[in-house]
Amino acid sequence: MKSKNSKLMYVSAAVLAAGSVAGVNTQNAHAAEVQKQADKNAAQKTIDQNQKDLTQTQDQLNKAQTEHDDAVRKTSDAQANVLTADSNNQSAQNVLANAQDQLKTAQDAQAKAQANYDASYENNVKSAQNDVNKANADVQTTQEQINAQNSKQSEALSNQKGQEAALKTNTETLNKTNEEISKTQGQVQQAQKTYDDVNKAYQPVKAELDKQAKEAQDAQKAAQENAKELTQAQNELKTEQDTANKAAETINNAQAKLNSDTEALNGAKSELSSKQKQASDLTSQRDQVAKDLQAAQTKMNTAKAELDADKDAVVNTMVMPQVYKDTVKKWSTKDHTDNYYKEMEAASWIGWTQNEYKHNEAEKNHMVDLKHMSRADQIELNKFGIDLINQLRRQIGVDPWTFNESALDFANAIADRYVKDDWDSDANHHDSEAINELAHKYGLHSAMHRDGSFSKSSQYYENMMTDRFGETEPTYAQAQQMVKDYPNFDLHKEAYNVSLTYSHSQDDYNNRLDDMDHLKNQVYNAIKRFVFNYNEWMHAYGILSQDFFDYSAKGKNYAAISFSAKPTPNHWGDDDLQLHFINVHESMVLDPKVFNVNANIPLDSHNSDADKQYSESLAQVNELSAKKSNLDNQISGLTKSISDLTSRINDLTKSISDSNKTLEAAKATKADADKKIAVLPGRVQELKDKQASLDKAQSKAEADLATYQAKNKDLLAQFNTAKSNLDKLTAKLNDLNSAKSKAESAVAESKANLDKATSELSAISSRLDELNAKLSTAKTTKEQADANLAKAKAAYDEYVSTHKDVIDNLNKANSELADKTKAYNEAKEDAAKTNKEYQAAQDELTKLNNHIEDLSTAITNYESKIKQLNTTINKQKADQKRAALDAQINKALDNVSSPKHAATTTSVQAGTSSSVVSDAAASTTQRSEVLTNSVVRSNNASVLSPQTKKLVAQANASKNSLPQTGANDKLSVFAALAGLSLASLGLGSLIGDKKRKRN
């Protein structure tokens, strides 16, 4: 920022230049203005992009910082895991080494014991036992084989007898069949002779019978075919009639559906048009809201960037969640049921978690005496608290509170009265009688009885918060940690009620001294708990002018905040800090001479333009976001309705098309059926007439055939009998020949089976002889092996009885070796497992440290980029302001006319500025003070007009005072206006005190 001297010189240069160029030709002004506007647009575009980059980088920094903090927190756990795993691994390795040493000792002892032991006796026993086992196995195996062959021999004998019996049976059957065949052949010959004799007389009759039977069959066939045609014609007629009737029904149904679908289609099209218009209107509204939202967000981000750029500023804000506003509005016209409390608690919890006090380290060194608080400290705390309340009031659209001197005196008087009465607000709530008495004294409405006494049960002005002195409420993060530490901790309720101590000296505590940062924290938390409570919202409605207190939503509310420290402990034994929030609606002022409604204290000395712009735009962003979300939901619903209607229109259009096709097809079908129906009845009648004639012819032919058959009945009977006898005997002979063939095959098969069974029986007998001989040899070998085993066991038993100590040592060494081997293997597995766990823990720690290092680098880069962007943006904004001022000055200079009257003298001195208009007798040769080179080299000279630049360059080159030639009295007036313009543009007044910093 420029110093005051720099500003003075800047104005002086502008005035001097103005005097030098009075009357200069400005014919290129328009082109210069166009170019300046283009430069301005380009500069603004660059600022906007830098602002966007700044916001994005800040988000990246916040994310990286969060990840970094989380990773750092995890590091201690990871290091502990590494140490634990390393300790476990070292212990396991020690156990393994010890087990390995013990195993080596056991192996050496076993080897030594084994060397003292003569194993030949034991080996002889084992060898002899193996021989016995082998001999026993040979005897057993051979006996099993003999048993198996005996079984096979029994089966073979049985099979042989069966085959002999089968051969006998099959032979007898063959012989019997041959005898039957011989007998039947004679019978066939006799029947054949009888048949031949009868057949000779039968043949002429058969020819006539065949002729008449054929005629009867032909007549029957003709009648049947005609009857079939008649049935077909009748069925076809019925089918066509059914088709015509069905087609008529289809036509009626299709026409009805066509009419219904057409009506529905017209209705759907009309509804679609209406929905599309609604969607279009809502989309236009949404787009405008989105545009307004973007503008509000840009404005908010700009203000936030300006606030963030001030390293010394700590800005506290309060945000009203949309769900809270919606819930209050929903229940403002309803009775407060259980659902009211549930919904308000849920909405308040969101507000509680979103709002948190930001500490100011510098103000922790600013101690405040609560018993004798200075007016300056009172005003600072009041501006802080009332600004927070007004942030919330602006977000819900009600008039802000006004900080007022009389309200502050009234609030202090109430606080003093609480101290005087040693009022236990924790037990007795408001000191209503004192508040009403003081309200009466300050010219305000008060709750009084008819006898003039003041009410002890009600008052109109105070919202109060009682805290424990020296304590503060937890942050959201601290409350979440309490949930982890104490399983029974109810986060939603206890977070409002738990208090935490903070560090101050005992002397400060005893003297009721507290730091400004903590007092602001108490004010912040009091407002936060008023508004975002978990079980009551009367205080919230009181300070926000909602529901029961909506009468104070408009108009002036004169407000102040005071503090009191209870002289003695309360009924719980705690030291109370009482915060009194007082607001007086203008309608409650009875005597404005006593309560001065004009003694208001502005809040802007505390709340900068950027702070105000940020809170206002934040409220606007919240409101517009909710509005846009609502419009998005409506548009989404309409979009679905439009989609559904479009699908229905498509379905109806297809249905209408299908109905038209069905209607046309049904009409064609009915026309074709009607055409056939017109012809078919005549065809049916024609076939009926023909059927009668054919039935008569069939009856005659059948009667003639029956008459002829009756005439030759005896001959026909003889022929049929002879033929039947011949056929039966022939069939019997054929069956006997077939049976003979089967019997012959069975006899041959029985003979072959008998031969095979006899051969198998002989082989089995030979195998049995071999196995019996082998069994005898195996038994002899077994007896010898048993004798050898008994001899070896006797020798071993003698060795054992004479060397018992050697054997005991060996058994002990073997047992010890087995135990140590098992212990070593288990220790080896444990060591491998713990080593793997240690490596995993070490890898995790290394990975975490690498991640922290990467995040630290990223944070450093983001912070550097943010600092660079803030510097760039601030410089660009300053350049914009300077460019705008220079443009204003140039425009004014271009409008200065040629001098006609007395000259103007302008004096320039460091730290002061004055413009003196001389009278008519003043000399026109007076000169100004020397203009330094630094003035002419001002960075802002580049925006002056070309003519002005030339004159300024000449002035810089001369290093002498420049004469004021040709300037009229308008120039001196412009000089004064230029100074005022600088002040209005934020560059500071020429002789002004520096604003104190925002808190």
Side-chain angles (χ1 to χ4, degrees), residues 232-274:
Q232 288 177 344
Q234 289 173 331
N235 290 339
E236 186 176 358
L237 175 60
K238 184 177 183 305
T239 299
E240 295 301 330
Q241 288 173 338
D242 291 343
T243 299
N245 293 335
K246 187 175 181 181
E249 182 181 358
T250 301
I251 289 171
N252 293 335
N253 293 339
Q255 187 63 54
K257 190 171 190 312
L258 185 62
N259 296 338
S260 174
D261 287 349
T262 301
E263 182 179 356
L265 177 62
N266 293 333
K269 286 182 177 179
S270 175
E271 186 178 359
L272 176 62
S273 177
S274 174

Coordinates of all heavy atoms in Angstrom, one line a residue, residues 232-274:
Q232 N -67.4 -80.8 -46.1 CA -66.4 -79.7 -46.3 C -67.1 -78.4 -46.6 O -66.8 -77.3 -46.2 CB -65.4 -80.1 -47.3 CG -64.4 -81.2 -46.9 CD -63.5 -81.6 -48.0 OE1 -63.8 -81.3 -49.2 NE2 -62.5 -82.4 -47.7
A233 N -68.1 -78.5 -47.5 CA -68.8 -77.3 -48.0 C -69.6 -76.7 -46.8 O -69.6 -75.5 -46.6 CB -69.8 -77.6 -49.1
Q234 N -70.2 -77.6 -46.0 CA -70.9 -77.1 -44.8 C -70.0 -76.4 -43.8 O -70.3 -75.4 -43.2 CB -71.7 -78.2 -44.2 CG -72.9 -78.7 -45.0 CD -73.6 -79.9 -44.4 OE1 -72.9 -80.7 -43.8 NE2 -74.9 -80.1 -44.7
N235 N -68.8 -77.1 -43.6 CA -67.8 -76.6 -42.6 C -67.3 -75.2 -43.1 O -67.0 -74.3 -42.4 CB -66.7 -77.6 -42.4 CG -67.1 -78.8 -41.6 OD1 -68.1 -78.7 -40.9 ND2 -66.4 -79.9 -41.8
E236 N -67.0 -75.2 -44.4 CA -66.5 -74.0 -45.0 C -67.5 -72.8 -44.9 O -67.1 -71.7 -44.6 CB -66.2 -74.2 -46.5 CG -65.5 -73.0 -47.2 CD -65.1 -73.3 -48.6 OE1 -65.3 -74.4 -49.1 OE2 -64.5 -72.4 -49.3
L237 N -68.8 -73.1 -45.1 CA -69.8 -72.1 -44.9 C -69.8 -71.6 -43.5 O -69.9 -70.4 -43.2 CB -71.2 -72.7 -45.3 CG -72.4 -71.8 -45.1 CD1 -72.2 -70.5 -45.9 CD2 -73.7 -72.5 -45.4
K238 N -69.8 -72.6 -42.5 CA -69.8 -72.1 -41.1 C -68.5 -71.3 -40.8 O -68.6 -70.3 -40.1 CB -69.8 -73.4 -40.2 CG -69.9 -73.1 -38.7 CD -70.0 -74.3 -37.9 CE -70.2 -74.0 -36.4 NZ -69.2 -73.1 -35.9
T239 N -67.4 -71.8 -41.3 CA -66.1 -71.1 -41.1 C -66.2 -69.7 -41.6 O -65.7 -68.7 -40.9 CB -64.9 -71.8 -41.7 OG1 -64.8 -73.1 -41.2 CG2 -63.6 -71.1 -41.5
E240 N -66.7 -69.5 -42.8 CA -66.7 -68.1 -43.4 C -67.7 -67.3 -42.6 O -67.5 -66.1 -42.4 CB -67.2 -68.2 -44.9 CG -66.1 -68.9 -45.7 CD -64.8 -68.2 -45.7 OE1 -64.7 -67.0 -45.5 OE2 -63.8 -68.9 -45.9
Q241 N -68.8 -67.9 -42.1 CA -69.8 -67.1 -41.3 C -69.1 -66.7 -40.0 O -69.3 -65.5 -39.6 CB -71.0 -68.0 -41.0 CG -71.9 -68.2 -42.3 CD -73.1 -69.1 -42.0 OE1 -73.0 -70.0 -41.1 NE2 -74.1 -69.0 -42.8
D242 N -68.4 -67.6 -39.4 CA -67.7 -67.3 -38.1 C -66.6 -66.2 -38.4 O -66.4 -65.3 -37.6 CB -67.0 -68.5 -37.6 CG -68.0 -69.5 -37.0 OD1 -69.1 -69.2 -36.8 OD2 -67.6 -70.7 -36.8
T243 N -65.9 -66.4 -39.5 CA -64.9 -65.4 -39.9 C -65.5 -64.0 -40.1 O -65.0 -63.0 -39.6 CB -64.2 -65.8 -41.2 OG1 -63.5 -67.0 -41.0 CG2 -63.1 -64.8 -41.6
A244 N -66.7 -64.0 -40.8 CA -67.4 -62.7 -41.0 C -67.8 -62.1 -39.7 O -67.6 -60.9 -39.4 CB -68.5 -62.9 -41.9
N245 N -68.4 -62.9 -38.8 CA -68.8 -62.4 -37.5 C -67.6 -61.9 -36.6 O -67.7 -60.8 -36.0 CB -69.5 -63.5 -36.7 CG -70.8 -63.9 -37.4 OD1 -71.4 -63.1 -38.1 ND2 -71.3 -65.1 -37.1
K246 N -66.5 -62.7 -36.6 CA -65.3 -62.3 -35.9 C -64.7 -61.0 -36.4 O -64.3 -60.1 -35.7 CB -64.3 -63.4 -35.9 CG -63.1 -63.2 -35.0 CD -62.2 -64.4 -34.9 CE -61.0 -64.1 -34.0 NZ -60.1 -65.3 -34.0
A247 N -64.7 -60.9 -37.8 CA -64.2 -59.7 -38.4 C -65.0 -58.5 -38.1 O -64.5 -57.4 -37.8 CB -64.1 -59.9 -39.9
A248 N -66.4 -58.7 -38.0 CA -67.2 -57.6 -37.6 C -67.0 -57.1 -36.2 O -66.9 -55.9 -35.9 CB -68.7 -58.0 -37.8
E249 N -66.7 -58.1 -35.3 CA -66.4 -57.8 -33.9 C -65.1 -57.1 -33.8 O -64.9 -56.1 -33.1 CB -66.4 -59.1 -33.1 CG -66.1 -58.9 -31.6 CD -66.0 -60.2 -30.8 OE1 -66.3 -61.2 -31.4 OE2 -65.8 -60.1 -29.6
T250 N -64.1 -57.6 -34.6 CA -62.8 -56.9 -34.6 C -62.9 -55.5 -35.1 O -62.2 -54.6 -34.6 CB -61.8 -57.7 -35.5 OG1 -61.7 -59.1 -35.0 CG2 -60.4 -57.1 -35.5
I251 N -63.7 -55.3 -36.1 CA -63.9 -54.0 -36.7 C -64.4 -53.0 -35.6 O -64.0 -51.9 -35.4 CB -64.8 -54.0 -37.9 CG1 -64.1 -54.7 -39.1 CG2 -65.3 -52.6 -38.3 CD1 -65.0 -55.0 -40.3
N252 N -65.5 -53.5 -34.9 CA -66.0 -52.7 -33.8 C -65.0 -52.4 -32.7 O -64.9 -51.2 -32.2 CB -67.3 -53.4 -33.2 CG -68.4 -53.5 -34.2 OD1 -68.5 -52.7 -35.1 ND2 -69.3 -54.5 -34.0
N253 N -64.3 -53.4 -32.3 CA -63.3 -53.2 -31.2 C -62.2 -52.3 -31.6 O -61.7 -51.5 -30.9 CB -62.7 -54.6 -30.8 CG -63.8 -55.4 -30.1 OD1 -64.8 -55.0 -29.6 ND2 -63.5 -56.8 -30.0
A254 N -61.7 -52.5 -32.9 CA -60.6 -51.7 -33.4 C -61.0 -50.3 -33.5 O -60.2 -49.3 -33.2 CB -60.1 -52.2 -34.7
Q255 N -62.2 -50.0 -34.0 CA -62.7 -48.7 -34.1 C -62.9 -48.0 -32.7 O -62.5 -46.8 -32.6 CB -64.1 -48.7 -34.8 CG -64.6 -47.3 -35.2 CD -63.6 -46.6 -36.2 OE1 -63.3 -47.1 -37.2 NE2 -63.2 -45.4 -35.8
A256 N -63.4 -48.8 -31.7 CA -63.5 -48.2 -30.4 C -62.1 -47.9 -29.8 O -61.9 -46.8 -29.2 CB -64.2 -49.2 -29.5
K257 N -61.2 -48.8 -30.0 CA -59.8 -48.5 -29.4 C -59.2 -47.4 -30.2 O -58.4 -46.6 -29.6 CB -58.9 -49.8 -29.6 CG -57.6 -49.7 -28.9 CD -56.9 -51.0 -28.9 CE -55.7 -51.0 -27.9 NZ -54.8 -49.9 -28.1
L258 N -59.4 -47.3 -31.5 CA -58.9 -46.2 -32.3 C -59.4 -44.9 -31.8 O -58.7 -43.9 -31.6 CB -59.3 -46.4 -33.8 CG -58.7 -45.4 -34.7 CD1 -57.2 -45.5 -34.8 CD2 -59.2 -45.7 -36.1
N259 N -60.7 -44.8 -31.5 CA -61.3 -43.6 -31.0 C -60.7 -43.3 -29.6 O -60.4 -42.1 -29.3 CB -62.8 -43.7 -30.9 CG -63.5 -43.9 -32.2 OD1 -62.9 -43.5 -33.3 ND2 -64.7 -44.5 -32.3
S260 N -60.6 -44.3 -28.7 CA -60.1 -44.1 -27.3 C -58.6 -43.6 -27.4 O -58.3 -42.7 -26.7 CB -60.2 -45.4 -26.5 OG -59.6 -45.3 -25.3
D261 N -57.8 -44.3 -28.2 CA -56.4 -43.9 -28.3 C -56.2 -42.5 -28.9 O -55.3 -41.8 -28.5 CB -55.6 -45.0 -29.1 CG -55.5 -46.3 -28.4 OD1 -55.7 -46.3 -27.2 OD2 -55.1 -47.3 -29.0
T262 N -57.0 -42.2 -29.9 CA -56.9 -40.9 -30.5 C -57.3 -39.8 -29.4 O -56.6 -38.8 -29.3 CB -57.9 -40.7 -31.7 OG1 -57.6 -41.8 -32.6 CG2 -57.8 -39.4 -32.3
E263 N -58.3 -40.0 -28.6 CA -58.6 -39.1 -27.6 C -57.5 -39.0 -26.5 O -57.1 -37.9 -26.1 CB -59.9 -39.5 -26.9 CG -60.4 -38.5 -25.8 CD -61.7 -39.0 -25.2 OE1 -62.3 -40.0 -25.6 OE2 -62.1 -38.3 -24.2
A264 N -57.0 -40.1 -26.1 CA -55.9 -40.2 -25.2 C -54.6 -39.5 -25.7 O -53.9 -38.8 -25.0 CB -55.6 -41.6 -24.8
L265 N -54.4 -39.7 -27.0 CA -53.2 -39.1 -27.7 C -53.3 -37.5 -27.7 O -52.4 -36.8 -27.4 CB -53.1 -39.6 -29.1 CG -51.9 -39.0 -29.9 CD1 -50.6 -39.3 -29.3 CD2 -52.0 -39.5 -31.4
N266 N -54.5 -37.0 -28.0 CA -54.7 -35.6 -28.0 C -54.5 -35.0 -26.6 O -53.9 -34.0 -26.4 CB -56.1 -35.2 -28.5 CG -56.3 -35.6 -30.0 OD1 -55.3 -35.6 -30.7 ND2 -57.5 -35.9 -30.4
G267 N -55.0 -35.8 -25.6 CA -54.9 -35.3 -24.2 C -53.4 -35.4 -23.8 O -52.9 -34.4 -23.1
A268 N -52.7 -36.4 -24.2 CA -51.2 -36.5 -23.8 C -50.4 -35.4 -24.5 O -49.5 -34.9 -23.9 CB -50.7 -37.9 -24.2
K269 N -50.7 -35.1 -25.7 CA -50.0 -34.1 -26.4 C -50.3 -32.7 -25.8 O -49.3 -31.9 -25.6 CB -50.5 -34.0 -27.9 CG -49.9 -35.1 -28.8 CD -50.4 -35.0 -30.2 CE -49.8 -36.1 -31.1 NZ -50.2 -36.0 -32.5
S270 N -51.5 -32.5 -25.3 CA -51.8 -31.2 -24.7 C -51.1 -31.2 -23.3 O -50.5 -30.1 -23.0 CB -53.3 -31.1 -24.4 OG -53.7 -30.0 -23.6
E271 N -51.1 -32.3 -22.6 CA -50.4 -32.3 -21.3 C -48.9 -32.2 -21.5 O -48.2 -31.5 -20.7 CB -50.7 -33.6 -20.6 CG -50.1 -33.7 -19.2 CD -50.4 -35.0 -18.4 OE1 -51.1 -35.8 -19.0 OE2 -49.9 -35.1 -17.3
L272 N -48.3 -32.8 -22.6 CA -46.9 -32.7 -22.9 C -46.5 -31.2 -23.2 O -45.5 -30.7 -22.7 CB -46.5 -33.6 -24.1 CG -45.1 -33.5 -24.6 CD1 -44.1 -33.9 -23.5 CD2 -44.9 -34.3 -25.8
S273 N -47.4 -30.6 -23.9 CA -47.1 -29.2 -24.2 C -47.1 -28.3 -23.0 O -46.2 -27.5 -22.8 CB -48.2 -28.6 -25.2 OG -48.0 -27.3 -25.5
S274 N -48.0 -28.6 -22.1 CA -48.1 -27.9 -20.8 C -46.8 -28.1 -20.0 O -46.2 -27.2 -19.4 CB -49.3 -28.3 -20.0 OG -49.4 -27.7 -18.7

